[in-house]
Amino acid sequence: MFIYLIILVGIAWLVQSFLGFFQIKNFNKHFSFLRQKGRVAIGRKRGLFKAGTVILIAINKGNKIIEARKMQGVTVFSRVRPMQGLDGKDLLKLTKQDLQIYDKLTIAAIQDAVANVKVISKGGEIPIQKTLFERLVQKVTLKKGVN
C-alpha cells in the first residue's frame, strides 16, 4: 500500500514538472516577443492561496508602455494573456486612477515592475525574494538563537 502511495506521488510530480515546462515555454515565447519591441519590465506578486500574478510590460527608451501582458493563476495551466489599459502610458508615472481597473494582485505586480525598472535604471540589482521555506527556516533559526 505504501509503495503505491510513493509511486502515485512520483507520477504526480512528473506530471507537474511536464506541465510546468510548457508554462515556462509559454512565458519565454511571450517575453521574447515583447523583447523585440523594447525593454521588458517584469513584475510579480506571489499568492500563497490566491492566484499568483506575473506582468510583462514592454517599454521604449522613454519608459512609455508599448504593450503589456499578464499571467495569473494558481496552477501550471496559467498562460500569458494580453492586458489592456496601459498602452501609451508612462510606466514610471502611473497613477492610482490608471490602476483602478485591475485586481489587487495585478496592481501589486505592476508596482513591482515599476520598482524593478527604477532599481535597474539606477544601476542597482533586484534582490532575490526568499521562498516560503527559506522564510520559515529563518524564523526557526532566529527563535533558536534567542533562547
Side-chain angles (χ1 to χ4, degrees):
M1 179 76 166
F2 186 68
I3 296 287
Y4 291 124
L5 182 62
I6 291 174
I7 291 171
L8 183 64
V9 169
I11 291 171
W13 179 78
L14 287 173
V15 169
Q16 180 185 358
S17 297
F18 182 72
L19 294 172
F21 168 77
F22 285 107
Q23 184 180 40
I24 292 169
K25 189 174 177 182
N26 176 262
F27 176 87
N28 287 338
K29 178 182 83 170
H30 287 273
F31 176 79
S32 296
F33 177 78
L34 292 177
R35 186 68 184 97
Q36 292 173 359
K37 294 183 175 197
R39 296 181 298 151
V40 179
I42 299 175
R44 62 187 175 161
K45 176 62 178 161
R46 293 182 184 184
L48 187 57
F49 296 109
K50 300 178 191 175
T53 305
V54 178
I55 302 289
L56 300 167
I57 304 173
I59 55 176
N60 65 16
K61 291 182 180 180
N63 295 321
K64 294 281 184 204
I65 298 173
I66 301 168
E67 186 175 345
R69 297 185 182 193
K70 92 173 171 178
M71 179 171 56
Q72 187 171 39
V74 180
T75 68
V76 291
F77 296 110
S78 305
R79 295 289 178 255
V80 178
R81 296 185 179 5
M83 194 171 128
Q84 306 300 320
L86 293 176
D87 297 354
K89 297 181 179 175
D90 189 320
L91 180 67
L92 301 179
K93 295 180 182 173
L94 291 174
T95 65
K96 287 184 180 182
Q97 288 180 330
D98 294 329
L99 303 178
Q100 71 184 1
I101 61 173
Y102 304 110
D103 60 87
K104 290 179 183 180
L105 289 172
T106 301
I107 292 170
I110 292 169
Q111 291 170 336
D112 185 51
V114 171
N116 290 340
V117 168
K118 288 179 180 178
V119 167
I120 296 296
S121 66
K122 292 179 182 176
E125 288 188 27
I126 300 167
I128 297 173
Q129 295 178 356
K130 292 183 178 181
T131 64
L132 175 62
F133 181 72
E134 290 171 328
R135 291 191 307 258
L136 289 173
V137 168
Q138 185 178 20
K139 282 185 179 182
V140 169
T141 311
L142 287 175
K143 285 183 180 180
K144 283 184 179 181
V146 172
N147 291 336

